[in-house]
Amino acid sequence: MLRTGEQYRDSIRDGRRVWINGERVQDITRHPMFKPLVDIRAHIYDMAHAEATRDLMSYEENGERFSVGLKLPFTREDWRAKRAATNAVLEEVGGIVTRVGDETAGEMWSLFDGQDILNEVDPRFSENIRNHIHRVIMTDPFHVSANTDPKGDRSKRPQDQDPDMLLHVVKETDAGIIVRGAKYETAAAYANQAFTKPTIANWGNEAMSDYAVGFVCDFSSPNLRFIARTGFAGRAPARDYPLSNRFDEVETLVIYDDVLIPWENVLFYQHTKAATFIRATLHRYSAFAFVQRNLKLADLLIGAALWNVRQTGLEHQPAVQEKLATLACYREGINAHLTAAIAEAEESPGGLMMPNQSLLMTGRVLACSQLHHMMHLARELCGGQICITPDAACFEDPETAPWLDKFYTLNENWGSEDRRKLLAYARDLLNSDYAGHRLTFQLFAQSPPFAHLAAVYRNFDWNEALRFTHKSAGLSDQVWGTKH
């Protein structure tokens, strides 16, 4: 039941229409801007078969093995296993990847919890979500999430402008619904399928809306087009930009040009209550892996900063230690939220084990809202040489190499090549166009910052603070009003 890396590569050689840099891509698995992440995704599949990582990445049931990341979580131990699997991936690939396919399957688990709502619309939709979750576990696809529309003029209802600015249903047939519009999605060009759902709750104040639709889209479907942004891989030598060339997950505008979605793939349709539910609960599971990757990013920030101050002999200065300690507090704050979210996990409406929602959502706010501050601290600690150091070719040119070796060698432990590698790495982590892209991505990838805080507002237990203050202040019971 577990795929191999080569089976994954074969699955996306399906004739899909992909463009990048104004050119049609002939083989998505070989194109230089897609190949690095295709290879990483393939390697993750292979990790489930490799002896060293097999038991971290997969589990056995009824004589078959399945992906840990795709397993429905019923216990705290399931979450610890998922966390260990994600750690194993990031350690193995040596960097940060955010859309490798595990956490996005978790978005469908929110609909698993909302089956009562789906049953109100049509019992088939409740059955469809159960079938799709089972199918994902059994077939091990690269499953992603399609959320963001072009949107158009947000001051207008979708019906009052070009209706295709938000993806919508244009026709029903015996075979399924026909949808038109577009979605932005990371990794779509080299994924197998996406859970496609609305991003906003502006249905035109209608009880039923053709924009309130959610479905699983097979990315080999006819009438799909994938128009990708320019990738970072291959634009500059890998020795000078080691992260850009290995870990760029290319975002794509997916065009739905009257695409047929079979009825068995429709998860909700024309029901604004279901659409509102999924937007409010979409990340109750998927936020965990998302925040966990920020923890590993914090490790990279600390490592790049600390190696830089050590190699220049500044580690023991109080002002430097203060900045390093601030980075450590950020890192351990994320770690504490993740650990506590599992320890205080709670049963979901559908009987699953979900991370403690208040702790998980506050952890996400910490990880995302403070990231730019932490990057700036790391940049200060790395120093200005990350933006002025010559490229690797100059360190090898016969005429310039002796000079660079002279000025970049510090002592017997730090020669010029190690120092160049460290500065190039820190530049790509903190200062390059890739670094800027990653910072913005982390800020908006699951939802914009105001939505992060809205999730905290919905999940925090306000009553306990009210109760304790009511008792401490000696307030009368009448202040509770009718809501108490």
Side-chain angles (χ1 to χ4, degrees):
M1 298 301 177
L2 284 170
R3 275 179 165 181
T4 65
E6 198 52 42
Q7 287 171 332
Y8 157 65
R9 289 189 181 94
D10 288 342
S11 75
I12 57 174
R13 296 186 182 109
D14 53 12
R16 62 185 62 193
R17 293 181 288 180
V18 180
W19 285 264
I20 192 168
N21 291 339
E23 296 181 355
R24 175 82 179 267
V25 176
Q26 299 304 312
D27 185 346
I28 197 75
T29 69
R30 297 180 182 275
H31 190 282
M33 287 185 173
F34 294 111
K35 187 177 185 300
L37 259 295
V38 169
D39 288 349
I40 284 178
R41 178 65 254 192
H43 185 66
I44 293 169
Y45 277 119
D46 287 336
M47 286 176 68
H49 300 273
E51 185 176 351
T53 51
R54 182 172 181 259
D55 291 335
L56 281 169
M57 300 298 296
S58 66
Y59 66 99
E60 186 173 329
E61 190 171 279
N62 298 325
E64 298 283 355
R65 296 197 74 85
F66 305 93
S67 168
V68 164
L70 302 177
K71 183 182 182 183
L72 278 170
F74 288 101
T75 67
R76 291 177 177 84
E77 191 52 44
D78 287 338
W79 280 105
R80 294 186 183 99
K82 290 176 184 296
R83 187 174 184 181
T86 298
N87 273 337
V89 167
L90 301 182
E91 285 287 339
E92 179 78 9
V93 304
I96 311 298
V97 283
T98 58
R99 290 296 173 94
V100 294
D102 54 355
E103 83 283 3
T104 47
E107 294 182 353
M108 291 199 297
W109 303 343
S110 295
L111 273 182
F112 184 88
D113 286 341
Q115 289 182 70
D116 290 344
I117 295 175
L118 297 183
N119 277 325
E120 291 179 20
V121 188
D122 189 324
R124 289 182 301 170
F125 296 159
S126 179
E127 182 181 358
N128 286 351
I129 189 61
R130 292 194 301 272
N131 288 342
H132 269 287
I133 288 173
H134 178 70
R135 189 180 304 168
V136 163
I137 293 171
M138 298 298 290
T139 60
D140 201 17
F142 184 6
H143 174 98
V144 294
S145 171
N147 295 324
T148 303
D149 304 77
K151 296 187 179 72
D153 187 341
R154 297 198 199 184
S155 69
K156 297 179 180 178
R157 299 184 309 166
Q159 302 93 322
D160 296 334
Q161 54 183 311
D162 184 337
D164 298 342
M165 286 298 178
L166 293 179
L167 187 140
H168 60 116
V169 178
V170 294
K171 184 180 180 182
E172 291 185 27
T173 71
D174 290 341
I177 55 175
I178 307 296
V179 298
R180 185 185 301 161
K183 290 283 185 181
Y184 290 100
E185 176 47 38
T186 303
Y190 44 94
N192 296 118
Q193 65 181 44
F195 175 23
T196 309
K197 83 264 334 153
T199 52
I200 62 173
N202 181 3
W203 322 118
N205 297 319
E206 297 179 14
M208 311 287 279
S209 172
D210 289 332
Y211 292 91
V213 61
F215 54 86
V216 173
C217 182
D218 181 346
F219 277 161
S220 65
S221 301
N223 298 342
L224 285 175
R225 293 175 178 82
F226 303 83
I227 306 174
R229 67 160 172 83
T230 296
F232 294 107
R235 287 168 50 180
R239 290 182 301 169
D240 296 314
Y241 293 91
L243 296 174
S244 304
N245 281 281
R246 293 164 61 201
F247 301 114
D248 179 29
E249 299 169 87
V250 181
E251 284 77 35
T252 301
L253 181 65
V254 183
I255 309 296
Y256 296 76
D257 185 20
D258 290 358
V259 175
L260 171 66
I261 308 299
W263 283 115
E264 62 266 24
N265 290 355
V266 179
L267 304 180
F268 59 86
Y269 168 44
Q270 280 196 334
H271 201 274
T272 57
K273 185 177 180 181
T276 301
F277 173 83
I278 191 60
R279 287 315 312 173
T281 63
L282 182 62
H283 300 127
R284 64 166 44 155
Y285 301 101
S286 63
F288 190 91
F290 179 78
V291 176
Q292 184 179 348
R293 289 178 175 83
N294 280 44
L295 178 67
K296 210 64 177 177
L297 180 55
D299 285 336
L300 290 184
L301 296 177
I302 292 170
L306 184 53
W307 278 119
N308 268 284
V309 296
R310 279 189 175 180
Q311 51 105 10
T312 51
L314 297 175
E315 183 182 3
H316 300 295
Q317 290 194 5
V320 169
Q321 292 179 346
E322 180 184 19
K323 290 182 173 65
L324 287 168
T326 301
L327 286 169
C329 287
Y330 171 70
R331 192 265 182 206
E332 291 295 71
I334 298 172
N335 184 38
H337 277 86
L338 290 170
T339 303
I342 293 177
E344 299 293 323
E346 49 203 336
E347 186 175 338
S348 78
L352 302 179
M353 183 65 71
M354 63 182 182
N356 182 282
Q357 292 297 282
S358 183
L359 290 166
L360 180 58
M361 297 309 169
T362 51
R364 184 172 67 171
V365 168
L366 168 66
C368 295
S369 67
Q370 297 304 304
L371 179 57
H372 64 292
H373 295 299
M374 298 305 111
M375 289 183 69
H376 185 64
L377 275 182
R379 193 180 294 118
E380 284 188 50
L381 290 166
C382 288
Q385 290 205 16
I386 63 174
C387 66
I388 59 177
T389 293
D391 56 30
C394 289
F395 278 79
E396 296 176 352
D397 183 271
E399 291 192 48
T400 56
W403 293 105
L404 292 175
D405 186 55
K406 170 183 173 64
F407 289 112
Y408 277 82
T409 296
L410 295 174
N411 49 48
E412 65 277 6
N413 295 322
W414 280 95
S416 60
E417 179 60 8
D418 275 329
R419 193 167 184 219
R420 182 203 67 77
K421 284 182 178 179
L422 178 61
L423 291 169
Y425 188 92
R427 172 180 58 202
D428 211 6
L429 179 67
L430 300 167
N431 235 40
S432 64
D433 49 1
Y434 168 79
H437 171 269
R438 290 293 307 157
L439 177 60
T440 302
F441 180 89
Q442 289 301 116
L443 194 63
F444 289 96
Q446 286 213 323
S447 52
F450 75 86
H452 290 188
L453 290 168
V456 171
Y457 186 87
R458 288 193 302 269
N459 288 285
F460 184 78
D461 183 4
W462 303 101
N463 286 326
E464 178 57 24
L466 288 171
R467 180 202 63 78
F468 186 58
T469 306
H470 177 272
K471 176 182 177 181
S472 180
L475 303 179
S476 68
D477 286 343
Q478 72 184 40
V479 301
W480 287 104
T482 57
K483 293 182 179 181
H484 182 52

